[in-house]
Amino acid sequence: MTTRITRFETHDIRFPTSLTGDGADAMNTDCDYSSAYVTIYTDSGLIGHGMTFTIGRGTDIVCHAIRELAGRLVGRDPESFFEDMGKTWDWLCSDSQLRWIGPEKGVIHLATAAVNNALWDMFARARGKPLWKLIVDMTPEELVNATAFRYITDVLTREEALAMLKAKEAGKRERETLVTKVGYPAYITSAGWLGYSDEKVARLTKEALASGFNHFKMKVGTDLKDDLRRGKMIRSIIDDPANYPSGFKDPSSPELAGKNAGPTGAVLMIDANQVWDVPQAIEYVAGLAEIKPWFIEEPTAPDDVLGHAAIRRALKPYGIGVATGEHAHNRMVFKQLFQVEAIDVCQIDSCRLAGVSEVLSVLLMAAKFGIPVCPHAGGVGLCEYVIHLSVIDYIAISGTMERNVLEFADHLHEHFPYRCTMNERGRYNVPSNPKEGYSIEMYKESIAEFEWPNGSYWVGARGGKVLST
């Protein structure tokens, strides 16, 4: 009997993180971490969950776009989608009237991510595997067919991608065994938000050290003198051998080469969240060279490919790299960043790109250009998503996690039954539950409490008044 998609639900879910300064940076000062969430239902009981991360107002707009896209799925057999997920991705992007309001960027692309991710979640659940396992078990031919290739074949053809994947086949099982044993390396952002006091930053940094982390990121961009002071404070903690009772890493080890690691092997990164013009970025970051950052993340507008290339050239003498990708609209922006050698680190986002199929295209391009992939995960649900993507990259595509680190932010994981977890080495544990799919299912109680505007939290918070969130 054929299964059919019968209906879907969308939810505008907002968490009041602005009250505690979580997520605050130079550009985004009042973030309420939010989720434009979709669940797709079938007549067989099979379901799929997907979401796109937002930061408050405007989540309802994304939900409206999700409804327009998800409506196209109703009445279809999900197995027809699973047969060729690359073709399914092309079809999702092919509604000409919806495409017109992108194309392949902005709100419509965010909505496409939620829907495509929900289909991948359903696919993994249908096969009884976590998403990463579903994909690494694919043949090279199946994985190529699951990937979005339109507009990137001048840099990566399907034939090249197939050859790359076949070349990595031999060691896949050994890599799978290793990463499931030791976990995937991570860095922490939670200690470095701009909205935190010095005391809170120091406390969280020490707690992160005790949890096994040795890569740390701080937000910068509002005041050079204050950023330098805060950076020195963090450096004084992470570079002090006394804060490593169990020993520390050799700064000359291969995974730390070129990262400006301090005497304990600790690495500091900085993130400006797009706040500067190109000349400002160069001058400002040069002024922070004393705290030895590995890279500056999002130094300027995310669409300014040549601007990033100019910043990278100017900062090279200081030993500071450039990272971006959190707000890169699509695979074409990444293609150009690679082509003009604009970045040292590729930072994909699991729902800024339009779902798994487009992410695969960027992972393949990054592997071809030899650029490490360190995904963005500073938002609700993103850590749950991106551990799958990093494991896919390591096992099936790049074959390396030596220099890669995956962002971790310690916020809101309690709302997910299949939440991400960390081990004592400061690494992500690899998802292992065969029922969890893409790990983005949210508790119904959390949706009921934080759905905007009528969830129980928001009704109680406004006391009958309309809030601006």
Side-chain angles (χ1 to χ4, degrees), residues 144-334:
V144 165
N145 284 341
T147 301
F149 279 97
R150 192 176 193 180
Y151 303 140
I152 66 167
T153 55
D154 54 325
V155 160
L156 181 73
T157 65
R158 296 173 67 92
E159 292 74 22
E160 286 178 292
L162 183 60
M164 288 169 57
L165 293 169
K166 286 184 174 180
K168 289 291 186 291
E169 277 285 283
K172 276 174 64 173
R173 296 309 159 208
E174 291 79 6
R175 291 192 293 274
E176 181 176 335
T177 299
L178 178 63
V179 73
T180 53
K181 179 181 178 182
V182 305
Y184 196 92
Y187 74 86
I188 192 161
T189 296
S190 303
W193 300 121
L194 275 179
Y196 289 175
S197 66
D198 285 359
E199 292 75 19
K200 187 171 183 177
V201 170
R203 173 175 59 80
L204 292 174
T205 301
K206 291 175 182 177
E207 289 175 1
L209 280 174
S211 298
F213 288 96
N214 81 312
H215 286 64
F216 303 82
K217 190 168 80 179
M218 61 175 277
K219 300 291 184 173
V220 299
T222 56
D223 182 87
L224 177 59
K225 189 177 294 185
D226 192 57
D227 288 341
L228 190 58
R229 180 191 61 77
R230 290 169 56 247
K232 287 180 177 179
M233 179 186 70
I234 294 174
R235 269 291 183 198
S236 72
I237 297 169
I238 65 177
D239 288 349
D240 185 351
N243 291 322
Y244 295 81
S246 302
F248 47 83
K249 293 194 175 182
D250 178 0
S252 64
S253 59
E255 71 267 24
L256 296 176
K259 290 186 176 182
N260 269 337
T264 61
V267 176
L268 181 64
M269 300 97 88
I270 56 176
D271 183 358
N273 293 90
Q274 318 159 27
V275 76
W276 300 310
D277 282 358
V278 171
Q280 286 179 302
I282 295 167
E283 181 180 4
Y284 199 109
V285 177
L288 293 173
E290 186 179 348
I291 61 173
K292 297 176 66 178
W294 170 24
F295 61 65
I296 173 63
E297 178 178 341
E298 286 200 314
T300 193
D303 302 336
D304 190 355
V305 173
L306 297 182
H308 279 86
I311 294 167
R312 181 173 183 257
R313 286 193 300 270
L315 294 179
K316 202 171 186 65
Y318 298 94
I320 302 171
V322 171
T324 200
E326 171 183 345
H327 282 83
H329 282 299
N330 49 45
R331 65 209 175 279
M332 292 79 81
V333 174
F334 281 104

Side-chain angles (χ1 to χ4, degrees), residues 184-186 259 372-374 393 398 400-406:
Y184 196 92
K259 290 186 176 182
V373 178
C374 301
D393 177 57
S398 72
T400 180
M401 59 176 172
E402 188 174 70
R403 295 180 50 74
N404 300 38
V405 280
L406 169 54

Side-chain angles (χ1 to χ4, degrees), residues 23-31 55 273-274 327:
D25 57 57
M27 182 64 77
N28 309 292
T29 57
D30 56 349
C31 305
I55 62 167
N273 293 90
Q274 318 159 27
H327 282 83

